[in-house]
Amino acid sequence: LLAAFKADSTGTTQEIADRLITNPIIQFMGGATPIEEGLLSGFDNTEIKGFKEGVMFAPMIGSIAFVGYVFELEDGADVDAFKTTLKDNANLRWNICTEAEELTVESEGNTVFFLMSPKKFEEQPGE
């Protein structure tokens, strides 16, 4: 998914997240929803702030350890500091049923890609 993000990080955060959640590598039904600053899934009690626009993409079934975000920061924002905040506050065990195996935080310009997921998507429970 990171390669897909890097290959095409154009458009709104919603358009990017919609492309990512429908990527053929993902073998579950998912959706993408706009978010606001505050408490976000995967970050326990830490409020995530400092983005202009954001979208969460995730499976429709909560037992899959997968949650992703696309954030757009203001022009001139400290992208590296925002990415560090995400890394430092992410909890791979946010999902009570299971645990993510990978954490990825990357950016293209002022657009930030965040993902907590299993290493292999095809080995999900219930498939």
Side-chain angles (χ1 to χ4, degrees), residues 55-85:
V55 174
M56 178 180 97
F57 56 101
M60 296 294 189
I61 298 172
S63 63
I64 300 171
F66 179 105
V67 66
Y69 293 94
V70 178
F71 299 98
E72 181 184 350
L73 307 186
E74 295 284 352
D75 290 337
D78 188 340
V79 174
D80 289 333
F82 184 79
K83 288 168 34 179
T84 297
T85 296

PDB file of all heavy atoms in Angstrom, residues 55-85:
ATOM      1  N   VAL A  55      -8.463  11.391   6.579  1.00  0.00           N
ATOM      2  CA  VAL A  55      -9.397  10.311   6.280  1.00  0.00           C
ATOM      3  C   VAL A  55      -8.834   9.022   6.866  1.00  0.00           C
ATOM      4  O   VAL A  55      -7.645   8.736   6.730  1.00  0.00           O
ATOM      5  CB  VAL A  55      -9.616  10.153   4.755  1.00  0.00           C
ATOM      6  CG1 VAL A  55     -10.472   8.933   4.447  1.00  0.00           C
ATOM      7  CG2 VAL A  55     -10.256  11.399   4.177  1.00  0.00           C
ATOM      8  N   MET A  56      -9.687   8.261   7.533  1.00  0.00           N
ATOM      9  CA  MET A  56      -9.316   6.942   8.044  1.00  0.00           C
ATOM     10  C   MET A  56      -9.831   5.905   7.060  1.00  0.00           C
ATOM     11  O   MET A  56     -10.941   6.032   6.541  1.00  0.00           O
ATOM     12  CB  MET A  56      -9.958   6.692   9.403  1.00  0.00           C
ATOM     13  CG  MET A  56      -9.655   5.311   9.965  1.00  0.00           C
ATOM     14  SD  MET A  56     -10.419   5.032  11.571  1.00  0.00           S
ATOM     15  CE  MET A  56     -11.888   4.171  11.042  1.00  0.00           C
ATOM     16  N   PHE A  57      -9.015   4.876   6.784  1.00  0.00           N
ATOM     17  CA  PHE A  57      -9.500   3.750   5.987  1.00  0.00           C
ATOM     18  C   PHE A  57      -9.246   2.476   6.778  1.00  0.00           C
ATOM     19  O   PHE A  57      -8.214   2.308   7.395  1.00  0.00           O
ATOM     20  CB  PHE A  57      -8.897   3.708   4.576  1.00  0.00           C
ATOM     21  CG  PHE A  57      -7.394   3.683   4.497  1.00  0.00           C
ATOM     22  CD1 PHE A  57      -6.721   2.496   4.261  1.00  0.00           C
ATOM     23  CD2 PHE A  57      -6.653   4.849   4.635  1.00  0.00           C
ATOM     24  CE1 PHE A  57      -5.332   2.464   4.164  1.00  0.00           C
ATOM     25  CE2 PHE A  57      -5.269   4.830   4.544  1.00  0.00           C
ATOM     26  CZ  PHE A  57      -4.606   3.632   4.308  1.00  0.00           C
ATOM     27  N   ALA A  58     -10.268   1.610   6.790  1.00  0.00           N
ATOM     28  CA  ALA A  58     -10.223   0.437   7.657  1.00  0.00           C
ATOM     29  C   ALA A  58     -11.211  -0.607   7.154  1.00  0.00           C
ATOM     30  O   ALA A  58     -12.094  -0.306   6.356  1.00  0.00           O
ATOM     31  CB  ALA A  58     -10.573   0.846   9.087  1.00  0.00           C
ATOM     32  N   PRO A  59     -11.085  -1.850   7.663  1.00  0.00           N
ATOM     33  CA  PRO A  59     -12.045  -2.893   7.307  1.00  0.00           C
ATOM     34  C   PRO A  59     -13.400  -2.637   7.956  1.00  0.00           C
ATOM     35  O   PRO A  59     -13.491  -1.965   8.982  1.00  0.00           O
ATOM     36  CB  PRO A  59     -11.413  -4.176   7.848  1.00  0.00           C
ATOM     37  CG  PRO A  59     -10.409  -3.751   8.838  1.00  0.00           C
ATOM     38  CD  PRO A  59     -10.020  -2.348   8.525  1.00  0.00           C
ATOM     39  N   MET A  60     -14.431  -3.186   7.354  1.00  0.00           N
ATOM     40  CA  MET A  60     -15.778  -3.071   7.914  1.00  0.00           C
ATOM     41  C   MET A  60     -15.933  -3.948   9.157  1.00  0.00           C
ATOM     42  O   MET A  60     -16.778  -3.679   9.989  1.00  0.00           O
ATOM     43  CB  MET A  60     -16.830  -3.476   6.878  1.00  0.00           C
ATOM     44  CG  MET A  60     -16.859  -2.577   5.687  1.00  0.00           C
ATOM     45  SD  MET A  60     -17.403  -0.940   6.166  1.00  0.00           S
ATOM     46  CE  MET A  60     -17.591  -0.184   4.584  1.00  0.00           C
ATOM     47  N   ILE A  61     -15.097  -4.985   9.282  1.00  0.00           N
ATOM     48  CA  ILE A  61     -15.132  -5.891  10.434  1.00  0.00           C
ATOM     49  C   ILE A  61     -13.968  -5.528  11.349  1.00  0.00           C
ATOM     50  O   ILE A  61     -12.824  -5.474  10.913  1.00  0.00           O
ATOM     51  CB  ILE A  61     -15.027  -7.363   9.987  1.00  0.00           C
ATOM     52  CG1 ILE A  61     -16.214  -7.716   9.115  1.00  0.00           C
ATOM     53  CG2 ILE A  61     -14.913  -8.288  11.189  1.00  0.00           C
ATOM     54  CD1 ILE A  61     -16.117  -9.068   8.455  1.00  0.00           C
ATOM     55  N   GLY A  62     -14.241  -5.289  12.627  1.00  0.00           N
ATOM     56  CA  GLY A  62     -13.237  -4.802  13.557  1.00  0.00           C
ATOM     57  C   GLY A  62     -12.231  -5.805  14.058  1.00  0.00           C
ATOM     58  O   GLY A  62     -11.312  -5.441  14.778  1.00  0.00           O
ATOM     59  N   SER A  63     -12.334  -7.079  13.699  1.00  0.00           N
ATOM     60  CA  SER A  63     -11.389  -8.070  14.221  1.00  0.00           C
ATOM     61  C   SER A  63     -10.112  -8.164  13.400  1.00  0.00           C
ATOM     62  O   SER A  63      -9.243  -8.963  13.699  1.00  0.00           O
ATOM     63  CB  SER A  63     -12.057  -9.444  14.300  1.00  0.00           C
ATOM     64  OG  SER A  63     -12.418  -9.871  13.006  1.00  0.00           O
ATOM     65  N   ILE A  64      -9.981  -7.338  12.364  1.00  0.00           N
ATOM     66  CA  ILE A  64      -8.777  -7.318  11.545  1.00  0.00           C
ATOM     67  C   ILE A  64      -7.883  -6.189  12.044  1.00  0.00           C
ATOM     68  O   ILE A  64      -8.322  -5.048  12.153  1.00  0.00           O
ATOM     69  CB  ILE A  64      -9.122  -7.130  10.057  1.00  0.00           C
ATOM     70  CG1 ILE A  64     -10.023  -8.278   9.581  1.00  0.00           C
ATOM     71  CG2 ILE A  64      -7.854  -7.047   9.218  1.00  0.00           C
ATOM     72  CD1 ILE A  64     -10.604  -8.078   8.200  1.00  0.00           C
ATOM     73  N   ALA A  65      -6.636  -6.510  12.348  1.00  0.00           N
ATOM     74  CA  ALA A  65      -5.693  -5.512  12.881  1.00  0.00           C
ATOM     75  C   ALA A  65      -5.185  -4.628  11.752  1.00  0.00           C
ATOM     76  O   ALA A  65      -4.064  -4.777  11.265  1.00  0.00           O
ATOM     77  CB  ALA A  65      -4.545  -6.211  13.591  1.00  0.00           C
ATOM     78  N   PHE A  66      -6.015  -3.705  11.315  1.00  0.00           N
ATOM     79  CA  PHE A  66      -5.689  -2.847  10.180  1.00  0.00           C
ATOM     80  C   PHE A  66      -6.376  -1.508  10.382  1.00  0.00           C
ATOM     81  O   PHE A  66      -7.586  -1.445  10.570  1.00  0.00           O
ATOM     82  CB  PHE A  66      -6.210  -3.497   8.887  1.00  0.00           C
ATOM     83  CG  PHE A  66      -5.953  -2.697   7.635  1.00  0.00           C
ATOM     84  CD1 PHE A  66      -4.973  -3.089   6.750  1.00  0.00           C
ATOM     85  CD2 PHE A  66      -6.702  -1.573   7.338  1.00  0.00           C
ATOM     86  CE1 PHE A  66      -4.740  -2.373   5.578  1.00  0.00           C
ATOM     87  CE2 PHE A  66      -6.482  -0.841   6.188  1.00  0.00           C
ATOM     88  CZ  PHE A  66      -5.499  -1.246   5.297  1.00  0.00           C
ATOM     89  N   VAL A  67      -5.602  -0.448  10.357  1.00  0.00           N
ATOM     90  CA  VAL A  67      -6.161   0.895  10.336  1.00  0.00           C
ATOM     91  C   VAL A  67      -5.165   1.797   9.617  1.00  0.00           C
ATOM     92  O   VAL A  67      -3.964   1.707   9.831  1.00  0.00           O
ATOM     93  CB  VAL A  67      -6.496   1.444  11.751  1.00  0.00           C
ATOM     94  CG1 VAL A  67      -5.258   1.641  12.589  1.00  0.00           C
ATOM     95  CG2 VAL A  67      -7.291   2.739  11.658  1.00  0.00           C
ATOM     96  N   GLY A  68      -5.693   2.605   8.710  1.00  0.00           N
ATOM     97  CA  GLY A  68      -4.844   3.513   7.955  1.00  0.00           C
ATOM     98  C   GLY A  68      -5.424   4.913   7.957  1.00  0.00           C
ATOM     99  O   GLY A  68      -6.630   5.110   8.150  1.00  0.00           O
ATOM    100  N   TYR A  69      -4.545   5.864   7.744  1.00  0.00           N
ATOM    101  CA  TYR A  69      -4.958   7.265   7.667  1.00  0.00           C
ATOM    102  C   TYR A  69      -4.195   7.957   6.550  1.00  0.00           C
ATOM    103  O   TYR A  69      -3.042   7.617   6.271  1.00  0.00           O
ATOM    104  CB  TYR A  69      -4.630   8.015   8.972  1.00  0.00           C
ATOM    105  CG  TYR A  69      -5.419   7.561  10.163  1.00  0.00           C
ATOM    106  CD1 TYR A  69      -4.917   6.592  11.022  1.00  0.00           C
ATOM    107  CD2 TYR A  69      -6.674   8.097  10.433  1.00  0.00           C
ATOM    108  CE1 TYR A  69      -5.639   6.168  12.128  1.00  0.00           C
ATOM    109  CE2 TYR A  69      -7.408   7.678  11.533  1.00  0.00           C
ATOM    110  CZ  TYR A  69      -6.882   6.715  12.372  1.00  0.00           C
ATOM    111  OH  TYR A  69      -7.612   6.299  13.460  1.00  0.00           O
ATOM    112  N   VAL A  70      -4.828   8.933   5.949  1.00  0.00           N
ATOM    113  CA  VAL A  70      -4.163   9.871   5.057  1.00  0.00           C
ATOM    114  C   VAL A  70      -4.447  11.248   5.641  1.00  0.00           C
ATOM    115  O   VAL A  70      -5.601  11.615   5.867  1.00  0.00           O
ATOM    116  CB  VAL A  70      -4.691   9.779   3.614  1.00  0.00           C
ATOM    117  CG1 VAL A  70      -3.994  10.808   2.733  1.00  0.00           C
ATOM    118  CG2 VAL A  70      -4.499   8.368   3.056  1.00  0.00           C
ATOM    119  N   PHE A  71      -3.374  11.968   5.947  1.00  0.00           N
ATOM    120  CA  PHE A  71      -3.491  13.310   6.519  1.00  0.00           C
ATOM    121  C   PHE A  71      -2.922  14.329   5.545  1.00  0.00           C
ATOM    122  O   PHE A  71      -1.885  14.083   4.931  1.00  0.00           O
ATOM    123  CB  PHE A  71      -2.667  13.422   7.814  1.00  0.00           C
ATOM    124  CG  PHE A  71      -3.086  12.497   8.910  1.00  0.00           C
ATOM    125  CD1 PHE A  71      -2.406  11.302   9.118  1.00  0.00           C
ATOM    126  CD2 PHE A  71      -4.131  12.821   9.753  1.00  0.00           C
ATOM    127  CE1 PHE A  71      -2.764  10.447  10.156  1.00  0.00           C
ATOM    128  CE2 PHE A  71      -4.497  11.969  10.789  1.00  0.00           C
ATOM    129  CZ  PHE A  71      -3.813  10.779  10.990  1.00  0.00           C
ATOM    130  N   GLU A  72      -3.575  15.468   5.429  1.00  0.00           N
ATOM    131  CA  GLU A  72      -3.008  16.598   4.707  1.00  0.00           C
ATOM    132  C   GLU A  72      -2.688  17.673   5.737  1.00  0.00           C
ATOM    133  O   GLU A  72      -3.563  18.082   6.507  1.00  0.00           O
ATOM    134  CB  GLU A  72      -3.973  17.155   3.664  1.00  0.00           C
ATOM    135  CG  GLU A  72      -3.379  18.315   2.892  1.00  0.00           C
ATOM    136  CD  GLU A  72      -4.354  18.954   1.917  1.00  0.00           C
ATOM    137  OE1 GLU A  72      -5.437  18.402   1.673  1.00  0.00           O
ATOM    138  OE2 GLU A  72      -4.017  20.049   1.414  1.00  0.00           O
ATOM    139  N   LEU A  73      -1.434  18.111   5.740  1.00  0.00           N
ATOM    140  CA  LEU A  73      -1.009  19.154   6.661  1.00  0.00           C
ATOM    141  C   LEU A  73      -1.011  20.500   5.936  1.00  0.00           C
ATOM    142  O   LEU A  73      -0.961  20.556   4.701  1.00  0.00           O
ATOM    143  CB  LEU A  73       0.389  18.855   7.189  1.00  0.00           C
ATOM    144  CG  LEU A  73       0.616  17.466   7.803  1.00  0.00           C
ATOM    145  CD1 LEU A  73       2.009  17.383   8.412  1.00  0.00           C
ATOM    146  CD2 LEU A  73      -0.431  17.126   8.837  1.00  0.00           C
ATOM    147  N   GLU A  74      -1.057  21.559   6.700  1.00  0.00           N
ATOM    148  CA  GLU A  74      -0.988  22.904   6.131  1.00  0.00           C
ATOM    149  C   GLU A  74       0.358  23.088   5.437  1.00  0.00           C
ATOM    150  O   GLU A  74       1.363  22.484   5.838  1.00  0.00           O
ATOM    151  CB  GLU A  74      -1.125  23.971   7.237  1.00  0.00           C
ATOM    152  CG  GLU A  74      -2.465  23.974   7.938  1.00  0.00           C
ATOM    153  CD  GLU A  74      -3.589  24.588   7.122  1.00  0.00           C
ATOM    154  OE1 GLU A  74      -3.327  25.169   6.049  1.00  0.00           O
ATOM    155  OE2 GLU A  74      -4.746  24.465   7.558  1.00  0.00           O
ATOM    156  N   ASP A  75       0.391  23.929   4.420  1.00  0.00           N
ATOM    157  CA  ASP A  75       1.664  24.263   3.790  1.00  0.00           C
ATOM    158  C   ASP A  75       2.595  24.845   4.843  1.00  0.00           C
ATOM    159  O   ASP A  75       2.179  25.657   5.674  1.00  0.00           O
ATOM    160  CB  ASP A  75       1.465  25.275   2.657  1.00  0.00           C
ATOM    161  CG  ASP A  75       0.750  24.672   1.457  1.00  0.00           C
ATOM    162  OD1 ASP A  75       0.802  23.432   1.298  1.00  0.00           O
ATOM    163  OD2 ASP A  75       0.149  25.442   0.684  1.00  0.00           O
ATOM    164  N   GLY A  76       3.838  24.407   4.844  1.00  0.00           N
ATOM    165  CA  GLY A  76       4.819  24.904   5.801  1.00  0.00           C
ATOM    166  C   GLY A  76       4.814  24.184   7.135  1.00  0.00           C
ATOM    167  O   GLY A  76       5.625  24.489   8.008  1.00  0.00           O
ATOM    168  N   ALA A  77       3.904  23.231   7.330  1.00  0.00           N
ATOM    169  CA  ALA A  77       3.846  22.482   8.594  1.00  0.00           C
ATOM    170  C   ALA A  77       5.088  21.599   8.726  1.00  0.00           C
ATOM    171  O   ALA A  77       5.715  21.224   7.735  1.00  0.00           O
ATOM    172  CB  ALA A  77       2.586  21.621   8.645  1.00  0.00           C
ATOM    173  N   ASP A  78       5.430  21.260   9.951  1.00  0.00           N
ATOM    174  CA  ASP A  78       6.562  20.381  10.223  1.00  0.00           C
ATOM    175  C   ASP A  78       6.109  18.928  10.053  1.00  0.00           C
ATOM    176  O   ASP A  78       5.638  18.297  10.995  1.00  0.00           O
ATOM    177  CB  ASP A  78       7.091  20.635  11.635  1.00  0.00           C
ATOM    178  CG  ASP A  78       8.389  19.907  11.916  1.00  0.00           C
ATOM    179  OD1 ASP A  78       8.706  18.924  11.205  1.00  0.00           O
ATOM    180  OD2 ASP A  78       9.095  20.319  12.858  1.00  0.00           O
ATOM    181  N   VAL A  79       6.256  18.422   8.852  1.00  0.00           N
ATOM    182  CA  VAL A  79       5.780  17.068   8.510  1.00  0.00           C
ATOM    183  C   VAL A  79       6.501  16.023   9.345  1.00  0.00           C
ATOM    184  O   VAL A  79       5.887  15.082   9.854  1.00  0.00           O
ATOM    185  CB  VAL A  79       5.951  16.801   6.995  1.00  0.00           C
ATOM    186  CG1 VAL A  79       5.602  15.361   6.650  1.00  0.00           C
ATOM    187  CG2 VAL A  79       5.100  17.774   6.180  1.00  0.00           C
ATOM    188  N   ASP A  80       7.812  16.170   9.521  1.00  0.00           N
ATOM    189  CA  ASP A  80       8.573  15.185  10.291  1.00  0.00           C
ATOM    190  C   ASP A  80       8.113  15.127  11.744  1.00  0.00           C
ATOM    191  O   ASP A  80       8.020  14.043  12.325  1.00  0.00           O
ATOM    192  CB  ASP A  80      10.075  15.462  10.212  1.00  0.00           C
ATOM    193  CG  ASP A  80      10.641  15.141   8.831  1.00  0.00           C
ATOM    194  OD1 ASP A  80      10.063  14.280   8.136  1.00  0.00           O
ATOM    195  OD2 ASP A  80      11.651  15.761   8.442  1.00  0.00           O
ATOM    196  N   ALA A  81       7.809  16.274  12.343  1.00  0.00           N
ATOM    197  CA  ALA A  81       7.322  16.295  13.735  1.00  0.00           C
ATOM    198  C   ALA A  81       5.960  15.608  13.822  1.00  0.00           C
ATOM    199  O   ALA A  81       5.693  14.863  14.778  1.00  0.00           O
ATOM    200  CB  ALA A  81       7.235  17.727  14.251  1.00  0.00           C
ATOM    201  N   PHE A  82       5.091  15.829  12.835  1.00  0.00           N
ATOM    202  CA  PHE A  82       3.777  15.182  12.828  1.00  0.00           C
ATOM    203  C   PHE A  82       3.946  13.668  12.708  1.00  0.00           C
ATOM    204  O   PHE A  82       3.299  12.907  13.439  1.00  0.00           O
ATOM    205  CB  PHE A  82       2.926  15.729  11.670  1.00  0.00           C
ATOM    206  CG  PHE A  82       1.521  15.190  11.651  1.00  0.00           C
ATOM    207  CD1 PHE A  82       0.556  15.689  12.507  1.00  0.00           C
ATOM    208  CD2 PHE A  82       1.165  14.177  10.773  1.00  0.00           C
ATOM    209  CE1 PHE A  82      -0.747  15.189  12.496  1.00  0.00           C
ATOM    210  CE2 PHE A  82      -0.124  13.670  10.746  1.00  0.00           C
ATOM    211  CZ  PHE A  82      -1.083  14.179  11.609  1.00  0.00           C
ATOM    212  N   LYS A  83       4.819  13.219  11.823  1.00  0.00           N
ATOM    213  CA  LYS A  83       5.068  11.786  11.664  1.00  0.00           C
ATOM    214  C   LYS A  83       5.620  11.180  12.958  1.00  0.00           C
ATOM    215  O   LYS A  83       5.227  10.077  13.347  1.00  0.00           O
ATOM    216  CB  LYS A  83       6.029  11.542  10.501  1.00  0.00           C
ATOM    217  CG  LYS A  83       5.379  11.791   9.163  1.00  0.00           C
ATOM    218  CD  LYS A  83       6.303  11.848   7.961  1.00  0.00           C
ATOM    219  CE  LYS A  83       7.493  10.987   7.939  1.00  0.00           C
ATOM    220  NZ  LYS A  83       8.300  11.119   6.709  1.00  0.00           N
ATOM    221  N   THR A  84       6.499  11.903  13.636  1.00  0.00           N
ATOM    222  CA  THR A  84       7.046  11.424  14.910  1.00  0.00           C
ATOM    223  C   THR A  84       5.940  11.289  15.951  1.00  0.00           C
ATOM    224  O   THR A  84       5.894  10.303  16.696  1.00  0.00           O
ATOM    225  CB  THR A  84       8.160  12.367  15.404  1.00  0.00           C
ATOM    226  OG1 THR A  84       9.221  12.347  14.443  1.00  0.00           O
ATOM    227  CG2 THR A  84       8.689  11.938  16.760  1.00  0.00           C
ATOM    228  N   THR A  85       5.024  12.246  15.997  1.00  0.00           N
ATOM    229  CA  THR A  85       3.888  12.161  16.919  1.00  0.00           C
ATOM    230  C   THR A  85       3.079  10.900  16.653  1.00  0.00           C
ATOM    231  O   THR A  85       2.697  10.189  17.584  1.00  0.00           O
ATOM    232  CB  THR A  85       2.990  13.411  16.791  1.00  0.00           C
ATOM    233  OG1 THR A  85       3.743  14.552  17.190  1.00  0.00           O
ATOM    234  CG2 THR A  85       1.740  13.296  17.647  1.00  0.00           C
TER     235      THR A  85
END
